[in-house]
Each structure stands twice: as C-alpha cells, then as structure tokens.
Amino acid sequence: IVMTQSPATLSVSPGERATLSCRASQSVTNKLAWYQQKPGQAPRLLIHSASTRATGIPARFSGSGSGTEFTLTISSLQSEDFAVYYCQQYYNWKTFGQGTKVEVK
Amino acid sequence: EVQLVESGGGLVQPGGSLTLSCVGSGFTFSNFWMSWVRQAPGRELEWVANMKEDGSQAYYADSVKGRFTITRDNAKNSFYLHMSSLRGDDTAVYFCAPDGDGFPNWGQGTVVTVSS
C-alpha cells in the first residue's frame, strides 16, 4: 500500500491552523497513524487508529478520516510544532508516507 | 518507562555484514511483536522487518528480503537484525520499536553507513 502525503512543505505562521493530508492507494480502514519528527530525533506517535491521540499528546492535534483519505489538523501552531510529519498505515504490513515539512512562514 | 536501546551500528564495506541489537525495558518484551524501522539520510521512514512475540513468525520488506534476518531472545529482552550483502542504499539510522497501534515507543536509533 502506497501512502501519499500532501503538501510536501507547508508554510504556516505561529498560531495559525495547519492541515496535512495523507492518501492510501487502497483502503486501510482506520489503521492509520501520524508521527512528528524533529531533526536528530526518533519519531513521536501523535495519532493512532486515524483519530485517537496517543498518550500525552496535546488536544490541538487531531486526526480524521477512514478508508483512503486522512487528515491531521494542528489547530493553533506552537513553536515546538514545526517539524516533519509522517503518516503510516498498519492495515497491511506497514508503510509510511514521504512526509510533510511544516515550516515557519 | 519504556526504553529501547539500539547498538551495533557502524561503518561497513559494500557486501559486508553487521548485526544490530535492541534491548527493551519498562514493558513485557515477550508480549509484543517487535519491528525494525530505518531512515536513510534526508529520507522517509521505512519499515524493515518484524517478528512475532514468540519468534515463530518473521516478515520482511521486499528491499531486504533474503539479505536481512531478525531474531529475538525474550530471556534477554533483546531483538536483533542480522544484515548481510549490505549495499549503499542500506545506509540509514535503524530504529527498533514494539508493534502496536502504530509505534508508540522508539529507541534513539543506531547509524549504519555502507561505504568503501
């Protein structure tokens, strides 16, 4: 299953809303996770099961979607949220998207 | 607190072999499938392989099938990645992670560089 993320880069001002998209080449039901990764660090799980926040993740992060179309929304970007975000399906084996870089506008 | 510590990375020549280790703590290691995930420089994450709790089943990405083998020792809370016939495109940071709904926990990774 191929995961395609868009856009590749998203330029956003602090305090603004960010919307990231992830599309699967076939249905993955709700077996979809989102990760945040900062330079030199391991990924951090934000969302699993398409819409469930992982332990300790702030409420400004939300996930939605099912089947082949998914969205990660960051309601009000904080300085620590500028990073690369990956989606991953775990319905059939495990594959990651190519990432969306959220940068300061 | 869940901790995962990878080790064994380094510089290896093309065609060479290397074994990576992962030691887990803070969770019941023998209750979890375990995965290796890698990330080439500037690239996206790539799932490499995973193994069932008791070691009876193992699955591999097509990119490493026939060259990489995974094993585990539940008595030592350890998980291994045996890599052979290494190529330049195997250069990456290698992470281990227990499977779940996604990967909730990650190690810090160990760097493998394949170069002459």
Side-chain angles (χ1 to χ4, degrees):
Chain A
I1 298 176
V2 177
M3 307 302 291
T4 303
Q5 292 185 241
S6 61
T9 303
L10 187 62
S11 299
V12 186
S13 298
E16 288 187 341
R17 182 186 193 92
T19 303
L20 289 67
S21 296
C22 175
R23 173 177 291 177
S25 60
Q26 63 189 76
S27 177
V28 298
T29 66
N30 72 331
K31 303 298 186 185
L32 192 285
W34 289 95
Y35 299 85
Q36 176 193 72
Q37 189 179 33
K38 297 179 180 178
Q41 296 185 15
R44 174 194 183 197
L45 179 67
L46 301 174
I47 301 285
H48 67 83
S49 306
S51 60
T52 302
R53 273 190 302 277
T55 304
I57 301 303
R60 65 181 182 271
F61 292 93
S62 63
S64 64
S66 66
T68 61
E69 300 283 344
F70 300 90
T71 300
L72 174 69
T73 301
I74 311 171
S75 60
S76 176
L77 270 161
Q78 306 298 301
S79 58
E80 62 267 30
D81 299 336
F82 293 97
V84 178
Y85 292 82
Y86 294 98
C87 63
Q88 178 227 342
Q89 68 82 18
Y90 50 97
Y91 176 76
N92 184 354
W93 305 113
K94 302 166 197 300
T95 48
F96 292 86
Q98 81 280 19
T100 291
K101 181 179 181 179
V102 177
E103 64 176 22
V104 178
K105 186 174 182 180
Chain B
E1 179 193 1
V2 173
Q3 286 196 326
L4 297 140
V5 179
E6 301 94 339
S7 62
L11 175 63
V12 60
Q13 292 190 336
S17 300
L18 201 62
T19 293
L20 307 183
S21 301
C22 166
V23 178
S25 60
F27 65 106
T28 306
F29 185 86
S30 59
N31 285 357
F32 287 85
W33 284 70
M34 291 293 297
S35 277
W36 286 99
V37 177
R38 69 183 180 181
Q39 188 171 37
R43 299 295 305 274
E44 69 270 24
L45 299 157
E46 179 189 17
W47 172 79
V48 172
N50 68 351
M51 176 166 271
K52 193 177 179 181
E53 298 95 325
D54 62 0
S56 62
Q57 296 176 38
Y59 300 94
Y60 300 88
D62 287 345
S63 58
V64 306
K65 203 172 291 183
R67 301 187 300 121
F68 290 12
T69 303
I70 51 175
T71 60
R72 64 190 294 165
D73 184 342
N74 286 342
K76 296 182 178 180
N77 285 358
S78 294
F79 184 47
Y80 305 98
L81 179 64
H82 310 276
M83 305 183 292
S84 63
S85 302
L86 282 162
R87 313 184 302 221
D89 61 1
D90 295 317
T91 295
V93 179
Y94 286 75
F95 299 96
C96 69
D99 285 17
D101 282 320
F103 296 115
N105 298 287
W106 298 69
Q108 84 290 347
T110 188
V111 178
V112 173
T113 303
V114 183
S115 175
S116 53

